[in-house]
Amino acid sequence: MYILVNLFVLFLFHSRTAAQNCSVMACSSSSSIPIRFPFHLEGSQQPESCGYPGFSLSCDDRGRTILRLPHSGEFFIREINFPMQQILLHDPGDCLPKRLLELNLSGSPFLATIYENYTFLDCPMKLTNSAIGCLGNSTHTVLASSNESFVRSMALVCRVMVSRPIPISWPVQYYQGPSDYLNQDLQLSWFTPDCIDCEMKGGACGFASNGSQDIGCFSIPAIDRASKGLLVFRIICLTIALPAIISSIGIGVFICSKHQRRSRNGANNSLQSTDPAAVIPQPSILTVGLDESTIESFTKIVLGESLRLSGPNDNICPICLAEYQPKEILRCIPECTHCFHAECIDEWLKISSMCPVCRNSPSPVPPDDT
Ligand SMILES: *[C@@H]1O[C@H](CO)[C@@H](O)[C@H](O)[C@H]1NC(C)=O
Ligand SMILES: *[C@@H]1O[C@H](CO)[C@@H](O)[C@H](O)[C@H]1NC(C)=O
Ligand SMILES: *[C@@H]1O[C@H](CO)[C@@H](O)[C@H](O)[C@H]1NC(C)=O
Ligand SMILES: *[C@@H]1O[C@H](CO)[C@@H](O)[C@H](O)[C@H]1NC(C)=O
Ligand SMILES: *[C@@H]1O[C@H](CO)[C@@H](O)[C@H](O)[C@H]1NC(C)=O
Ligand SMILES: *[C@@H]1O[C@H](CO)[C@@H](O)[C@H](O)[C@H]1NC(C)=O
């Protein structure tokens, strides 16, 4: 057994040295956006060959991460979801609808997953509801809607500016107003290079060798001799003991989190608590669940008759495996847009902060770029 493990370790070390010397970069020390393969930070100590063509990023002087699209200019990156191969962008000028009107993704590796036909209307009056504030002025209001009957009724007083497919990040049911959600961040996906399997395994994706266009999957970087033991432990977990460990840890976390919630409710200074549960070290991949106000802040939707749910969702709740029915209440995790029956996901999030499908942790507070 140990011979096998050691061979595997040697293999990992070997593939690490064959891989390129690509450190993970970030635009500032407080940035939550790691820049690593397929992305590459321009002008940094990362050699250009550390990134895939089309994935160059830069930083502004306030430490924000910038993506420049060949035909559509610069966007700020809010988040990069490596396992899902998605990026979340926002407009430096805070007027995403305007940018969406001009968006041309050709020449970039990024694609929008959902398009919806939108009509932009210029109305000679002040409307506050569902207006795109940044496109209007003191006497005119700009509206955008995908609802044809709404557009027809408004066209009596408003001028139709343009009608065209607009990339949207969220299915229509998520938001009520006809325009305001064009102001949400823009989510784009990439499909090449395909590192999904590698990311899911916690590996480091990269070019297989210098000068090659083939993609390889390497061990997590920064393995030194001190953490060799940890690596062996990981390998044992991955190959043999994973199912057993997961179930026992799951039970442990459930008990711990119940404990912690109870002690959090009881006394605020739980750090000084002598509760024995507080000193049990927890493996770093595990986090306890979210509190109820955070869970409650995630979008809830009521399914319509059409059962239309886009994004990464199909019509089955991944937790209870039951098919969705009209009028059922779903809750979606904002970061990854995975949706579930509200009653299923609420229970889950109380004991685990990870999305059950993609294992991303939803952050309680949206990242702030100031
Ligand atoms: C790899 O990175 C280390 C530390 O950043 C540096 O000292 C070394 O010269 C790099 N090696 C190559 C081949 O770029
Ligand atoms: C995007 O821009 C390129 C280059 O300017 C142009 O050839 C192409 O037609 C544009 N695509 C769309 C959909 O406008
Ligand atoms: C958008 O409109 C075009 C023509 O106006 C139509 O061909 C297309 O199917 C529509 N797309 C959607 C998603 O409604
Ligand atoms: C407001 O915008 C409209 C076009 O949308 C323009 O015709 C008008 O002159 C603008 N008014 C002011 C005060 O800027
Ligand atoms: C579309 O707009 C009409 C008229 O404003 C409204 O009655 C209808 O409920 C809207 N449909 C949807 C799906 O929002
Ligand atoms: C990788 O290849 C490039 C040219 O293709 C060369 O300049 C560079 O030195 C090589 N790097 C390593 C670490 O072999």
Side-chain angles (χ1 to χ4, degrees):
M1 171 66 216
Y2 262 89
I3 294 168
L4 270 182
V5 167
N6 274 325
L7 278 177
F8 193 27
V9 169
L10 274 179
F11 168 73
L12 287 182
F13 274 106
H14 179 74
S15 39
R16 173 73 195 144
T17 50
Q20 283 175 333
N21 196 5
C22 296
S23 45
V24 179
M25 306 294 294
C27 274
S28 74
S29 52
S30 60
S31 170
S32 59
I33 301 163
I35 300 177
R36 55 182 172 87
F37 190 86
F39 293 91
H40 153 252
L41 184 57
E42 277 169 12
S44 72
Q45 71 208 57
Q46 265 181 354
E48 199 168 337
S49 53
C50 284
Y52 203 81
F55 286 84
S56 283
L57 302 179
S58 56
C59 301
D60 76 351
D61 51 9
R62 290 173 61 191
R64 290 174 296 201
T65 316
I66 297 172
L67 173 72
R68 168 178 280 281
L69 295 172
H71 302 298
S72 299
E74 291 182 349
F75 285 87
F76 286 151
I77 295 193
R78 178 92 66 197
E79 196 188 311
I80 302 175
N81 186 333
F82 287 94
M84 301 281 289
Q85 303 203 155
Q86 288 170 342
I87 47 171
L88 218 47
L89 304 178
H90 60 122
D91 176 29
D94 255 339
C95 195
L96 194 59
K98 187 167 168 227
R99 304 294 302 280
L100 293 179
L101 271 173
E102 304 158 352
L103 191 74
N104 178 345
L105 293 172
S106 70
S108 97
F110 302 103
L111 297 169
T113 32
I114 318 167
Y115 281 87
E116 187 106 25
N117 282 339
Y118 264 84
T119 301
F120 284 68
L121 297 159
D122 179 10
C123 305
M125 59 199 156
K126 201 76 199 146
L127 292 169
T128 44
N129 270 356
S130 60
I132 301 177
C134 61
L135 286 177
N137 59 25
S138 57
T139 56
H140 283 244
T141 302
V142 173
L143 300 177
S145 177
S146 58
N147 177 342
E148 281 175 32
S149 59
F150 176 79
V151 168
R152 264 198 304 276
S153 65
M154 291 309 285
L156 299 173
V157 283
C158 305
R159 180 176 65 89
V160 172
M161 296 164 70
V162 63
S163 237
R164 57 168 291 183
I166 294 289
I168 59 168
S169 310
W170 300 84
V172 163
Q173 285 106 324
Y174 284 68
Y175 300 101
Q176 297 307 313
S179 320
D180 59 342
Y181 80 115
L182 289 184
N183 248 331
Q184 307 286 322
D185 292 347
L186 171 65
Q187 180 178 289
L188 300 176
S189 306
W190 75 88
F191 295 98
T192 312
D194 183 354
C195 289
I196 293 178
D197 283 349
C198 185
E199 293 282 345
M200 289 292 189
K201 285 186 224 145
C205 198
F207 287 120
S209 64
N210 194 12
S212 142
Q213 289 296 299
D214 296 334
I215 303 304
C217 188
F218 307 102
S219 59
I220 302 160
I223 298 167
D224 53 27
R225 302 212 164 263
S227 57
K228 205 168 168 181
L230 183 65
L231 181 70
V232 173
F233 173 73
R234 274 203 202 117
I235 292 166
I236 295 174
C237 288
L238 281 174
T239 50
I240 301 156
L242 196 62
I245 288 181
I246 284 181
S247 52
S248 57
I249 284 176
I251 295 165
V253 168
F254 185 74
I255 293 164
C256 279
S257 66
K258 283 224 144 166
H259 245 289
Q260 290 197 350
R261 251 182 300 144
R262 219 174 289 138
S263 59
R264 222 179 289 146
N265 292 344
N268 278 341
N269 55 349
S270 61
L271 280 179
Q272 290 156 24
S273 123
T274 51
D275 184 348
V279 297
I280 297 175
Q282 294 191 359
S284 59
I285 50 159
L286 295 168
T287 41
V288 281
L290 303 173
D291 57 55
E292 278 181 29
S293 60
T294 306
I295 297 176
E296 208 48 52
S297 72
F298 294 167
T299 317
K300 245 183 181 177
I301 55 175
V302 181
L303 266 187
E305 293 294 333
S306 71
L307 298 178
R308 198 167 72 107
L309 254 187
S310 28
N313 301 292
D314 52 25
N315 60 347
I316 290 174
C317 171
I319 296 181
C320 67
L321 301 181
E323 246 179 76
Y324 294 133
Q325 303 298 325
K327 304 228 159 63
E328 277 185 331
I329 297 170
L330 310 193
R331 196 188 292 288
C332 305
I333 295 185
E335 261 82 349
C336 57
T337 73
H338 284 125
C339 302
F340 312 86
H341 284 126
E343 53 197 271
C344 297
I345 191 65
D346 290 9
E347 284 309 309
W348 169 275
L349 288 174
K350 281 180 204 161
I351 57 168
S352 164
S353 68
M354 281 190 297
C355 169
V357 174
C358 63
R359 315 224 144 249
N360 280 316
S361 294
S363 47
V365 185
D368 195 341
D369 52 77
T370 52

